[in-house]
Amino acid sequence: MARRRRGKIISGWLAVDKPLEITSSTVVNQVRRLLDAAKAGHGGTLDPLATGVLPIAFGEATKTVAYVMDGSKSYRVTLKFGESRTTDDAEGEVNATSDHRPTREEIEAVLCEFTGEIQQVPPKFSAIKVNGKRAYDLARRDEDVVLKARPILIKDLRLVDMPDRDHAVFDVISGKGAYMRSLARDIALRLGSVGHISALRRTSAGPFAEGDSIPLQTLLEMDPEAVMEKLLPVETALDDIPALALTEVEAQRLASGQPVGLLAVAKRSDLGTPVAQDGIVCAMLNDRAVALAEIHGGEIRPVRVFNL
């Protein structure tokens, strides 16, 4: 007999402002214990030396985590010139130095080269798998780690401050899989110097914004019932996915794993643009998500059903 999962059945999202020097997993575990939640996960890892928006999914919301991880993210990145580090951030050991310090004009002149779809080599200290092993495990054992460049999307990159000759501060909006540590490293190299990230803050992740995030310590000092009132619905992560309005009968069919006809549902939903074949939609009953579904032929077929 399967062992029953301990904890309360809670579903929804909570945006937490992660502090320094703590892992994303530790934040999730602390908040999960606070609420005595049976199941929780997060919408994109932040390194211990990074702060900012860490969306936490509970229960059925964990089925929508991929849509947050695949969405846009924004960062405030502080690049320190003159030292490169083994980890490409302040945690690593210095492995190269440079006396060159670029000017504001020199920095702004090369930013266009790092905007749009670009090729990026991930940091050696990353969770990328090499022959079945995590790159950071190999790097910690001083094994040779060779990572291939891969395409990533930098939607916007702006120089916002130069507090002194050693530092430059950028605002970045990126797509899935972009490493800010690699971006800072590569900008410094392009400018004839070396560098690493000395500070990193995520200011948004998908629909979750900095202004809506609750500092972890504040959260841990709150009454659990008050925290429950801050939970956002499961559907929060699905804002960018076309929504289809179902009847009660259609919702019951999808929830039981059966397809429903597309034509009547599409007309009722009054979609602004046609739904692509094999495209994912969010099937709704009133304001409640019933399932993530796929359009196939003239049918709506359930992919992930929400047990709300």
Side-chain angles (χ1 to χ4, degrees):
M1 180 180 295
R3 190 169 64 182
R4 185 174 179 269
R5 185 188 294 273
R6 294 182 178 180
K8 299 175 182 176
I9 304 302
I10 297 170
S11 291
W13 283 93
L14 196 63
V16 179
D17 192 330
K18 188 190 92 65
L20 277 170
E21 298 179 350
I22 186 171
T23 67
S24 297
S25 295
T26 298
V27 174
V28 171
N29 289 334
Q30 289 183 354
V31 179
R32 183 180 59 79
R33 284 194 297 268
L34 173 68
L35 297 181
D36 189 28
K39 186 177 183 181
H42 62 71
T45 301
L46 281 174
D47 294 333
L49 293 184
T51 67
V53 180
L54 182 67
I56 299 181
F58 298 94
E60 293 297 286
T62 59
K63 296 177 180 178
T64 68
V65 161
Y67 296 93
V68 176
M69 297 185 72
D70 289 351
S72 295
K73 298 175 180 64
S74 60
Y75 298 89
R76 173 63 60 91
V77 180
T78 302
L79 164 57
K80 182 177 181 180
F81 293 105
E83 290 181 350
S84 67
R85 302 282 183 112
T86 52
T87 57
D88 295 317
D89 63 15
E91 190 175 32
E93 298 177 359
V94 177
N95 57 5
T97 60
S98 172
D99 293 329
H100 178 63
R101 300 294 185 272
T103 65
R104 176 181 290 271
E105 292 73 23
E106 289 173 330
I107 295 173
E108 290 180 335
V110 304
L111 294 187
C112 60
E113 300 177 24
F114 296 92
T115 306
E117 186 171 295
I118 63 173
Q119 294 290 318
Q120 184 185 79
V121 177
K124 290 184 178 181
F125 282 82
S126 65
I128 303 291
K129 284 192 174 182
V130 180
N131 297 325
K133 297 180 180 179
R134 298 291 184 186
Y136 54 67
D137 287 331
L138 299 173
R140 285 171 184 152
R141 295 198 295 264
D142 290 328
E143 295 185 30
D144 190 31
V145 180
V146 179
L147 297 176
K148 296 180 180 179
R150 56 183 188 170
I152 56 112
L153 179 63
I154 301 297
K155 298 182 179 180
D156 195 46
L157 172 59
R158 300 174 188 271
L159 177 65
V160 295
D161 192 19
M162 291 188 70
D164 54 52
R165 65 188 300 268
D166 290 331
H167 295 87
V169 182
F170 302 90
D171 279 345
V172 184
I173 302 175
S174 73
K176 177 184 178 182
Y179 282 90
M180 296 302 106
R181 286 179 288 153
S182 292
L183 183 64
R185 174 201 67 205
D186 294 344
I187 290 173
L189 288 171
R190 174 63 181 84
L191 291 164
S193 185
V194 294
H196 66 275
I197 282 183
S198 61
L200 177 63
R201 180 168 179 79
R202 186 156 68 194
T203 53
S204 73
F208 302 97
E210 183 178 32
D212 301 323
S213 299
I214 305 170
L216 176 63
Q217 191 56 44
T218 299
L219 203 62
L220 297 178
E221 293 171 358
M222 292 172 63
D223 182 271
E225 290 301 319
V227 176
M228 287 294 295
E229 294 178 2
K230 300 289 186 181
L231 278 182
L232 299 170
V234 170
E235 298 83 10
T236 303
L238 306 174
D239 284 351
D240 293 334
I241 298 175
L244 296 180
L246 304 179
T247 64
E248 184 77 40
V249 172
E250 291 165 345
Q252 289 175 0
R253 283 185 60 84
L254 273 187
S256 63
Q258 300 298 310
V260 300
L262 172 63
L263 185 59
V265 178
K267 285 182 178 179
R268 187 188 314 122
S269 300
D270 191 27
L271 295 171
T273 56
V275 179
Q277 285 293 310
D278 300 323
I280 295 295
V281 296
C282 182
M284 305 283 294
L285 177 62
N286 299 321
D287 294 328
R288 178 173 67 84
V290 175
L292 289 169
E294 185 179 64
I295 304 300
H296 190 76
E299 292 184 329
I300 305 168
R301 299 180 180 179
V303 176
R304 300 295 297 271
V305 173
F306 298 113
N307 299 311
L308 297 173

